[in-house]
Structure formats: C-alpha cells, structure tokens
Amino acid sequence: MTIPGRRQAVRLPREQRVAEIMRAARAVFVEKGYEEALLSDIAERADVVEGSIYRYFENKRDLLVKVIEDWYEAMLSDYDQQLSGIRGTRNRLRYMVWRHLETVHEEPALCHLMFQIIRSGADYSATAVHELNRKYTHRTLDIVREGIDAGELRGDIPLRLVRDMMYGCVEHRTWAYLRGEGDFDSNHVADAIVDLVLGGLAKAPANQPRDQTIALRLEQAVARLERLDAESAPAVRSSSPSKKRRYLPGRV
Amino acid sequence: MTIPGRRQAVRLPREQRVAEIMRAARAVFVEKGYEEALLSDIAERADVVEGSIYRYFENKRDLLVKVIEDWYEAMLSDYDQQLSGIRGTRNRLRYMVWRHLETVHEEPALCHLMFQIIRSGADYSATAVHELNRKYTHRTLDIVREGIDAGELRGDIPLRLVRDMMYGCVEHRTWAYLRGEGDFDSNHVADAIVDLVLGGLAKAPANQPRDQTIALRLEQAVARLERLDAESAPAVRSSSPSKKRRYLPGRV
DNA sequence: GTCGTTGATGAATGATATTTATCAATGACG
DNA sequence: CGTCATTGATAAATATCATTCATCAACGAC
C-alpha cells in the first residue's frame, strides 16, 4: 500500500536516470554557476529527490566534473573529426585556436566552470578532463612537429613553450571576455595569434625577407586587431558595468 | 558587573583590530585554502569572536579580497622599486617575468587564491586587485613601447597580444606548478619566454642574420629548457602523485 | 511465490556563514 | 562629575544547504 502523500517513484534504468540528472545539472550549473546551483534545483529539474543524486554521484563537485567531462569529450572528438579534413600546418594550427575561441563564445558558462572549478581543484590531475586536455594539447604539438618535420617551422624552439604561449594567450582573452570586459572576433584573434607565433617560429632564411604571404596576413590582422583594441578599450573606468554582458553567474 | 563566563572583551582601535584579523585570515587561508578555511578558525587565531569579523568585513569573500589586495599592493610597489634600477628593454622585460615566477614560488597559496577565487569572481572588475593588475601589465606594455621607440623592437605587433602571450605563458606554467605537476626554474623560464617573444619581435634587418647575442642566448636557453622538459615530463601516468609537492590545499 | 537487489524516497543531520540582541568601555559635553 | 551617544565586542540564534539515514517498493531470478 502506498503511503498517502508519498511521491510516486518512477523507476528508470541506471543509465537513463544518470543521463536525466546530468542534463538537469548541466542546465542549472550553466544558469547559476557552481555555488549558486543548489542540489535541490537540480533534483527538481531532474524530477528526483535530492537524496537520489547521491546514488549516482559522490557529491556536488563530482556531479559537475562528470558533466564537464561529458561535454569536453564530445567536443574533442568533434575537433578530431573536423581536423581530419584540414590540410597545412598553418590552417590546422589556426583551426585549433579558432575552434577554441568559438567554444568560448558558444559555452561561456561551461568554460568558466571548467576553468574556475575543475582546473583549479586539487584533484584535477586525477580527472578525466585532465587527460582529455593533455590529449588535446598534444594534438597541437603534433601539428607543430609536423610543421618542423616538413621544414616549414624552426626546430629550435621548445614545443612546450609554443603551446603555453598559444593557449596562454587564448585564455587571457577568454577570461577578459568571460568577465564582460569586451568581446572578440574568433577569426581575428586566431589569425593574430597564429601569425605572431609563426612569425616568431617560421623559418626565415637568413638572408631572405620573410615569407610574403605571412607578412601580408600579419599586417592585415594587426590592423584589424588594433582597431578592435581601440574599440574595446575601457574609455572611462567604472562607467556602467551593468551594460556589459557578463557570463559569470553568481554573487551580485 | 561582568556576567560570569562572558569573555573579557579587549578593546582595540579599529585599525589594529582589522590588521589582526587580516593577519589571521591570511595565515588560515594560506594554510587551508578558501573553502576549508573556517571563519571560526580565523576568529580564533585573531583572538576575537566570529561575529566580530562582520564589523570590519562584509563577508568571508570580502575578507579574502582585502587580504589579497594588501599583499598585491605591497608586492607591486616593490616591483616598481626594483624596476627603477634596471636598464635595457630586455633586462626590464625579463625582470617582470622573472619576478612574477619567483612570486609564484614564494607564495604559491596566495597565488592560487588570487587566481581561483579573486580573478574568477563576478565582481573582479570592481576589485582593487583588478586595477592593480591593470597597472602592472601596463608597466609591461610601457617597457615594450620603450623598446619600440628605441628601435629595438618591431612596431607592428599589437601590444596586447604580446602581453597576453607573455603572461599567458607564465600562467600556464604557474598552474602546472601549483598543481604539483613539476617545478620550474624562474631564470630558465624567464629567459626562454623573453627570448621567444623577442625572437619574434626583435627587429631583424631584412637582409641581415639575427642579432648574434640573441641567437646565442636563445640556443642556450632552449637547450636548458629541453632538458628541463625532459626531466619534468611525467614518465608514467598516475605513478605516485603523493610524492609530488602540491600547493593546493583542500579536498583529499 | 519468495527474496535479494536495486531504484527511489522523505526526513534527519551537520557544518558553517551570517544576523541579532545585548553588553560594556570610552570619551565628549554639559 | 555624571549622562549618554558611539563604537568595540560578545554569545547565542538563524538560515542555508550538502550529505546521510532509515525505509520503502518494484523487479526479476530461482
């Protein structure tokens, strides 16, 4: 006999319930950020009771980690898919950066969670996200290596430094964007970054002027970027921050 | 008449009490990280009662922000102090990077808090830390600008990109370090970064080989770095993470 | 048809940040 | 000198959530 007032328990197979909860969690996390997201919100949206979540996830953080992992994995496999159809060191490198920037535009909240919560956690190194990330940056290094082998790039620069610079730069921009300090154009930024890196890396025969196409592209990109910088430069400090789009949920 | 059992209230002038609390807070935050640091811990160490903290600080987060601000301000003023005694674009640029890296070594926990809690907060832009940081990176751009004016550096690169690359790279290394993924040598890394940036930036007369000294320094730095990379490369995944030094307090 | 296994529940529990109601020293002012 | 507003400080109450617990019911194998 069902106790009156006791909610009708809908039984689902494990996988399906896990999927439901993760879908709900992702929505709530995106909407409210980590701290503001309540397990009760998530439970409600997943149409379960709070306690049920603990049958499938260790704790709130674990839930987030799983959500991010899921997203990240799908994303990276798509990266590979696309990349397989792109030829040429420059194009491939550019695609990596461009796609990264696009992702920030498409999923700012998830990116923010990824940076703030996942990647700065003490257990990050043990996370699948870490492994995925490693794989991803390896992909980038592979491209550079191919370029070196093909004789297109200088071989005397530590690969790690190149990678750190590229993604470091990307992330600086990303943070500024996530903070609502100004938008960016993925195409322009990607061009500028790749151009600068290649400009420093490109094998320049000692007594020859730099590759014409590179020099040209560089000029154009730089001109565009300077304009962009001028626009997005904060005219007056603390003018009207409310007008800026923000993607950081939470504290007001 | 004093109610028996009621603690003897030591009255201090505002400034002094604030200083006490901040000293205590800094210690506890450093020791335990943000979430694990309890207001009761801080109160105890500051020899006040929890509620008293709220007389001087909005909330826990505000307390941390003030602590970081304090530290950051002192640090930057010292930067300026030192920098005033250094001549030459390369040396000055190198000092900025080097000092940044050294700071990470000296105060890993505060750096971590700065990155994770402060800089990713929704209110970061309104923070004094943001302003300080802006001032700091401006200093860097000034140096580059001086170099351009002096004819030492190419003038056709967007300054922001240069800055983002330098600090982006620094931060990538920093995070890896904070996560316990391997140490770094501030001197080597600073050399490598500055060399790479200048290698891409340095005005290379079209039909002349690159500046000899730069080329030489580059080679040396690269050699050192390759060695370093080889050493700090994770031999076997998930070998014994317990052996690595970690500077992330918190969750076990 | 019984019984172990697993999905699911609703109500505790616990840990902490934050508030509130009070209290006492201090010092300015009549 | 006293009174009284101001400010430093307190102890206890509150509120908010994450997490755990004691039960319960459907399902399926045997």
Side-chain angles (χ1 to χ4, degrees), chain B:
Chain B
M1 195 229 291
T2 338
I3 291 172
R6 188 182 179 95
R7 168 191 188 143
Q8 173 57 17
V10 183
R11 285 174 68 90
L12 288 183
R14 182 186 186 84
E15 283 182 39
Q16 210 167 328
R17 182 94 319 161
V18 167
E20 278 301 317
I21 294 176
M22 280 180 49
R23 183 177 354 271
R26 173 164 166 173
V28 176
F29 279 134
V30 163
E31 196 176 301
K32 306 201 179 187
Y34 183 69
E35 316 213 33
E36 306 280 334
L38 303 186
L39 279 189
S40 52
D41 291 339
I42 297 173
E44 191 183 6
R45 182 154 348 191
D47 206 45
V48 293
V49 118
E50 302 177 41
S52 298
I53 296 178
Y54 286 87
R55 174 169 296 280
Y56 307 102
F57 302 93
E58 301 261 340
N59 49 40
K60 187 180 176 182
R61 190 186 156 86
D62 178 50
L63 177 53
L64 174 64
V65 170
K66 297 270 172 59
V67 166
I68 297 287
E69 266 173 28
D70 215 45
W71 165 62
Y72 212 64
E73 195 153 17
M75 195 171 68
L76 288 201
S77 97
D78 188 57
Y79 264 60
D80 276 350
Q81 178 72 26
Q82 304 299 325
L83 206 56
S84 70
I86 300 176
R87 301 292 158 205
T89 302
R90 144 164 250 112
N91 290 335
R92 287 165 71 79
L93 223 44
R94 201 199 104 108
Y95 178 77
M96 295 295 278
V97 174
W98 175 82
R99 180 63 191 273
H100 196 127
L101 292 166
E102 278 296 291
T103 302
V104 172
H105 266 149
E106 284 162 15
E107 293 288 359
L110 286 180
C111 287
H112 186 258
L113 288 167
M114 161 85 184
F115 288 148
Q116 182 182 20
I117 310 297
I118 309 291
R119 238 184 40 180
S120 59
D123 52 355
Y124 173 62
S125 303
T127 302
V129 175
H130 183 237
E131 187 52 30
L132 287 169
N133 214 45
R134 181 181 291 278
K135 208 184 292 178
Y136 168 60
T137 56
H138 258 296
R139 200 83 71 240
T140 307
L141 292 189
D142 285 341
I143 298 177
V144 174
R145 216 175 279 120
E146 288 166 22
I148 293 174
D149 292 344
E152 296 178 43
L153 302 182
R154 279 166 56 187
D156 58 350
I157 300 285
L159 295 182
R160 176 174 180 176
L161 199 62
V162 175
R163 181 201 63 186
D164 286 352
M165 274 208 178
M166 285 184 48
Y167 290 111
C169 184
V170 166
E171 277 172 36
H172 249 231
R173 291 254 171 188
T174 298
W175 269 119
Y177 172 67
L178 292 176
R179 262 187 250 116
E181 292 176 5
D183 202 354
F184 59 83
D185 180 310
S186 304
N187 283 298
H188 297 172
V189 175
D191 276 334
I193 290 178
V194 173
D195 284 335
L196 181 47
V197 169
L198 291 186
L201 278 175
K203 185 184 267 175
N207 295 323
Q208 299 287 323
R210 275 164 191 275
D211 179 314
Q212 267 303 329
T213 55
I214 288 183
L216 192 62
R217 290 181 61 90
L218 188 59
E219 258 177 50
Q220 294 172 344
V222 162
R224 276 198 305 264
L225 250 164
E226 300 269 68
R227 247 181 290 131
L228 263 182
D229 274 352
E231 283 170 17
S232 73
V236 185
R237 265 274 299 165
S238 70
S239 51
S240 58
S242 55
K243 276 184 188 167
K244 297 174 185 169
R245 270 192 300 170
R246 285 175 179 273
Y247 295 98
L248 307 183
R251 310 164 200 293
V252 187

Side-chain angles (χ1 to χ4, degrees), chain A residues 221-249:
Chain A
V222 162
R224 278 198 304 265
L225 251 165
E226 300 270 67
R227 250 181 287 132
L228 264 182
D229 275 352
E231 283 167 19
S232 73
V236 185
R237 263 276 299 167
S238 70
S239 50
S240 57
S242 53
K243 275 183 188 167
K244 297 173 185 169
R245 269 192 301 171
R246 285 175 178 275
Y247 295 97
L248 306 184

Side-chain angles (χ1 to χ4, degrees), chain A residues 172-222:
Chain A
H172 248 231
R173 292 253 170 189
T174 299
W175 270 118
Y177 171 67
L178 292 176
R179 263 187 248 117
E181 290 175 7
D183 202 353
F184 59 83
D185 179 309
S186 305
N187 283 298
H188 297 172
V189 176
D191 276 334
I193 290 178
V194 173
D195 284 334
L196 181 47
V197 169
L198 290 188
L201 279 176
K203 186 183 266 175
N207 294 322
Q208 298 288 323
R210 276 165 190 276
D211 182 315
Q212 267 303 326
T213 55
I214 288 182
L216 193 62
R217 292 180 60 90
L218 187 58
E219 260 178 48
Q220 294 172 345
V222 162

Side-chain angles (χ1 to χ4, degrees), chain A:
Chain A
M1 196 228 293
T2 338
I3 292 173
R6 188 182 179 96
R7 168 190 188 145
Q8 174 56 17
V10 182
R11 284 173 70 91
L12 287 184
R14 183 184 184 86
E15 284 183 38
Q16 211 167 329
R17 182 90 325 154
V18 166
E20 278 302 315
I21 294 176
M22 281 180 51
R23 185 182 347 276
R26 172 164 166 172
V28 175
F29 279 134
V30 162
E31 198 176 301
K32 306 202 177 183
Y34 183 70
E35 316 213 32
E36 306 280 334
L38 303 187
L39 280 190
S40 52
D41 292 339
I42 296 173
E44 191 183 8
R45 183 155 344 195
D47 205 47
V48 294
V49 120
E50 307 182 37
S52 298
I53 296 177
Y54 286 86
R55 174 168 295 279
Y56 307 101
F57 302 93
E58 301 262 339
N59 50 39
K60 187 180 176 182
R61 189 186 157 86
D62 178 50
L63 177 53
L64 175 64
V65 169
K66 296 271 172 60
V67 166
I68 297 286
E69 267 174 27
D70 214 47
W71 165 64
Y72 212 64
E73 195 153 15
M75 195 171 67
L76 287 201
S77 96
D78 189 57
Y79 265 60
D80 276 349
Q81 177 73 25
Q82 304 297 325
L83 206 56
S84 69
I86 301 176
R87 300 293 157 202
T89 303
R90 146 165 247 110
N91 291 335
R92 287 164 71 78
L93 222 45
R94 200 199 105 110
Y95 178 76
M96 295 295 277
V97 173
W98 176 82
R99 181 62 190 273
H100 197 127
L101 292 166
E102 279 296 291
T103 301
V104 172
H105 266 150
E106 284 161 16
E107 294 287 0
L110 285 180
C111 287
H112 186 258
L113 288 167
M114 160 86 185
F115 289 149
Q116 181 181 20
I117 311 296
I118 309 292
R119 240 185 35 182
S120 58
D123 52 356
Y124 173 62
S125 303
T127 302
V129 175
H130 183 239
E131 187 52 30
L132 286 169
N133 214 45
R134 181 182 290 277
K135 208 184 293 179
Y136 169 59
T137 56
H138 258 295
R139 200 84 70 243
T140 307
L141 291 189
D142 285 341
I143 297 178
V144 174
R145 217 173 279 120
E146 287 165 23
I148 293 174
D149 291 345
E152 297 178 43
L153 304 181
R154 280 168 56 190
D156 59 350
I157 300 285
L159 295 182
R160 176 174 181 177
L161 198 63
V162 175
R163 183 201 61 187
D164 285 352
M165 273 208 178
M166 285 185 49
Y167 290 110
C169 183
V170 166
E171 275 171 37
H172 248 231
R173 292 253 170 189
T174 299
W175 270 118
Y177 171 67
L178 292 176
R179 263 187 248 117
E181 290 175 7
D183 202 353
F184 59 83
D185 179 309
S186 305
N187 283 298
H188 297 172
V189 176
D191 276 334
I193 290 178
V194 173
D195 284 334
L196 181 47
V197 169
L198 290 188
L201 279 176
K203 186 183 266 175
N207 294 322
Q208 298 288 323
R210 276 165 190 276
D211 182 315
Q212 267 303 326
T213 55
I214 288 182
L216 193 62
R217 292 180 60 90
L218 187 58
E219 260 178 48
Q220 294 172 345
V222 162
R224 278 198 304 265
L225 251 165
E226 300 270 67
R227 250 181 287 132
L228 264 182
D229 275 352
E231 283 167 19
S232 73
V236 185
R237 263 276 299 167
S238 70
S239 50
S240 57
S242 53
K243 275 183 188 167
K244 297 173 185 169
R245 269 192 301 171
R246 285 175 178 275
Y247 295 97
L248 306 184
R251 309 164 201 291
V252 188

